[in-house]
Amino acid sequence: MSGTQQSKPLGLKPTFGFGDRLGLATPGHFEACRQQAGPIRGIFAQQSIREMQRTNRTPDDVMNAAINDLKAVGYTGEWGSDADHLKTEKDVDYTAAAGFVFFTIDPSDDVDEQADDYDAATLDQRFAAVKGEVAWLDRYKGQTIQVPDGPEIHFDDTTLKRAAVKYGRAITHTIKLASYIHKVMTERGADYEIELSVDETAQPTTVAEHYIIADQCRENLPDPSKLVSLAPRYVGDFEKGIDFKGDIKLFEASLAEHVAIAEHLGPYKLSLHSGSDKLSVYRSFARITRGRFHVKTAGTSYLEALRAVARHEPDLFRRIIDFSRGRFAVDKATYHISADPDKVPVPAAVADAASLERIYLDENDGRQILHVTFGSVLTDDYLKAEMLRVLKAHPDTHKQVLAHHLGKHLELLREGMMEARDAHATDERHTWETASET
Ligand SMILES: O=C(O)[C@@H](O)[C@H](O)[C@H](O)C(=O)CO
């Protein structure tokens, strides 16, 4: 298979992840890129281990769906593949064998998610348990570091203890898994790149914690240049399938500090997970990162597939809604979402098909009910077969709704990049334009 059909590392170029849980979305994803991406590169094969487990799909299924659909549209440009939320060496073997070249390390199971709430006594107790794993602590002890164009960070004892308790074991896990990825890809003779993601944790990553995580990666990864992306836990709420919740000005100010650290210790991109539908922050995310970003989406494409089903077979859409409502209480368990099904009318109470589409695909609570139950629907033999039948019978509708919806995402990101370029036209610092040439 020719090189142009294989995914490749995309370095510091602006990238957008198109998670496809069905294996039929790439035509619409590619069309969205064709219409709106500009210099943003598409990562057309992106699934987490969790998603593949929930949909009974393999890394080969995900990779081959992207390759075949890109070949079908005659695309010979560069594109990426993201083996997302990897936690173990087995996850690495499983996805590397399918040809993935971008590996998202997720050490969140080793993050102490209550660390910010510990009082001094509890913090000392927790610190005693991790002390043996954080020999790096002395490197920062008593230091005050002024990050160029960024925050002044004071590494006082409490800050260091809290960072050690919160991320100490996650740093160890990251270095170990990154070293294994390096070994596997070197043996395969394949280039690769890494993202570190702690986005799915309860408490925001402080600038001191970001600095320590990135500095330790720079010191200990076999090839630090392979760390092209980092997803801290940002301030604000990034719930699945709906727009950003929080103070945008606070988010922008915090993001600017994270960007300064990434430029100083990297450079590497900042990554935004659960990027689906975060339309209110996209322009500032692209502007403040100056186009040095990665955005990940997945659930929103599943919802657009349901929109295509709703438009052609409303009775099947009703059946999927009823089934999803029955599964919601169980499936919502691993997500941080605020949907309340009691606030959403059951399909039998909504006669009009257009109203049902609006309630369950354009309003927050309905979107989240359908979003988090994707795994149950896509592992129900009848509903999955019916959904695939309708989408295969109406590929143009599926492609059109995806291109329209994901196109809105890309358009806002591109506008933010243009704002950055205009604002920094005379700035000699690396901007997204030079990155996109490397
Ligand atoms: O649900 C998943 O496992 C993925 O969508 C994962 O959350 C991914 O990293 C993401 O944030 C896409 O929106």
Side-chain angles (χ1 to χ4, degrees):
M1 196 169 285
S2 80
T4 53
Q5 289 166 356
Q6 296 300 326
S7 65
K8 59 179 283 192
L10 297 171
L12 297 180
K13 296 166 188 168
T15 43
F16 190 94
F18 292 97
D20 173 10
R21 294 168 174 169
L22 285 151
L24 295 175
T26 297
H29 292 162
F30 178 75
E31 182 60 17
C33 275
R34 191 189 65 78
Q35 291 176 13
Q36 295 288 356
I40 302 169
R41 272 34 173 216
I43 290 187
F44 294 110
Q46 172 211 296
Q47 283 288 265
S48 67
I49 297 295
R50 169 174 63 187
E51 285 171 310
M52 287 186 277
Q53 286 169 343
R54 289 194 177 198
T55 57
N56 291 335
R57 293 175 75 212
T58 68
D60 280 320
D61 294 334
V62 175
M63 183 62 76
N64 291 337
I67 288 173
N68 294 337
D69 282 338
L70 290 173
K71 186 179 176 185
V73 295
Y75 180 61
T76 57
E78 59 183 5
W79 60 283
S81 58
D82 178 5
D84 196 11
H85 286 292
L86 306 182
K87 296 178 187 270
T88 68
E89 293 180 358
K90 182 168 171 286
D91 293 344
V92 173
D93 293 336
Y94 190 38
T95 51
F100 281 82
V101 294
F102 178 41
F103 300 92
T104 298
I105 295 174
D106 176 356
S108 53
D109 293 345
D110 294 297
V111 173
D112 184 328
E113 301 208 52
Q114 282 73 46
D116 290 3
D117 302 329
Y118 295 148
D119 60 23
T122 307
L123 191 60
D124 284 342
Q125 182 188 28
R126 298 285 176 149
F127 178 68
V130 300
K131 195 174 180 181
E133 290 192 50
V134 292
W136 43 258
L137 213 61
D138 291 340
R139 179 181 170 91
Y140 311 98
K141 199 169 182 63
Q143 298 277 320
T144 293
I145 292 176
Q146 175 59 59
V147 176
D149 298 325
E152 182 179 81
I153 305 176
H154 304 286
F155 291 100
D156 58 64
D157 284 352
T158 301
T159 298
L160 284 173
K161 277 182 187 172
R162 207 174 298 281
V165 168
K166 190 168 170 184
Y167 290 113
R169 288 190 168 136
I171 290 169
T172 304
H173 182 167
T174 298
I175 293 165
K176 183 170 182 284
L177 201 54
S179 302
Y180 184 74
I181 291 167
H182 185 78
K183 171 181 173 292
V184 167
M185 297 306 278
T186 302
E187 287 168 355
R188 290 175 61 86
D191 193 9
Y192 73 94
E193 54 195 9
I194 284 173
E195 174 178 293
L196 167 55
S197 163
V198 289
D199 76 292
E200 295 193 7
T201 51
Q203 300 173 325
T205 308
T206 68
V207 289
E209 292 157 357
H210 178 178
Y211 189 98
I212 290 171
I213 290 168
D215 192 44
Q216 285 305 304
C217 286
R218 188 173 62 162
E219 289 296 305
N220 295 285
L221 260 54
D223 183 347
S225 72
K226 300 300 184 188
L227 181 70
V228 298
S229 179
L230 191 147
R233 169 57 162 87
Y234 298 107
V235 298
D237 276 341
F238 290 82
E239 290 189 20
K240 292 294 183 186
I242 63 174
D243 204 340
F244 172 79
K245 282 185 175 179
D247 179 332
I248 287 193
K249 290 301 174 197
L250 201 58
F251 167 74
E252 290 174 347
S254 172
L255 177 64
E257 293 186 326
H258 285 302
V259 167
I261 294 168
E263 289 297 311
H264 180 54
L265 294 180
Y268 46 83
K269 295 184 280 193
L270 288 179
S271 175
L272 182 66
H273 286 230
S274 301
S276 298
D277 308 286
K278 302 303 176 287
L279 302 178
S280 65
V281 298
Y282 273 147
R283 282 177 70 160
S284 49
F285 190 69
R287 183 182 69 253
I288 295 167
T289 58
R290 299 194 189 188
R292 207 165 255 162
F293 64 77
H294 177 45
V295 171
K296 293 197 192 191
T297 68
T300 204
S301 290
Y302 168 71
L303 296 181
E304 289 310 304
L306 286 176
R307 194 184 302 275
V309 168
R311 297 207 175 146
H312 288 283
E313 297 209 10
D315 288 344
L316 176 58
F317 184 49
R318 288 176 180 278
R319 185 162 178 169
I320 290 172
I321 295 171
D322 283 329
F323 179 85
S324 299
R325 288 183 66 99
R327 291 292 308 163
F328 179 71
V330 172
D331 291 351
K332 72 172 186 177
T334 64
Y335 292 103
H336 165 62
I337 59 169
S338 49
D340 177 358
D342 294 337
K343 292 181 185 170
V344 190
V346 296
V350 184
D352 170 47
S355 299
L356 199 65
E357 179 183 328
R358 174 179 49 76
I359 291 166
Y360 279 91
L361 291 173
D362 298 327
E363 294 175 7
N364 286 358
D365 288 306
R367 284 181 66 80
Q368 288 193 327
I369 290 169
L370 295 183
H371 185 292
V372 300
T373 52
F374 75 92
S376 293
V377 171
L378 298 183
T379 48
D380 176 273
D381 293 344
Y382 173 78
L383 291 179
K384 178 175 184 179
E386 281 294 278
M387 200 171 164
L388 294 179
R389 174 184 62 77
V390 175
L391 294 174
K392 288 173 181 175
H394 303 283
D396 291 346
T397 305
H398 189 204
K399 177 179 168 181
Q400 188 272 324
V401 295
L402 283 169
H404 173 72
H405 189 61
L406 277 299
K408 282 191 293 185
H409 289 59
L410 292 166
E411 186 178 21
L412 288 165
L413 289 167
R414 202 158 41 78
E415 287 172 359
M417 290 165 70
M418 297 310 155
E419 288 170 2
R421 182 179 58 180
D422 297 345
H424 301 286
T426 58
D427 185 330
E428 76 288 344
R429 206 181 74 180
H430 221 62
T431 66
W432 58 271
E433 286 171 300
T434 39
S436 61
E437 287 148 20
T438 52

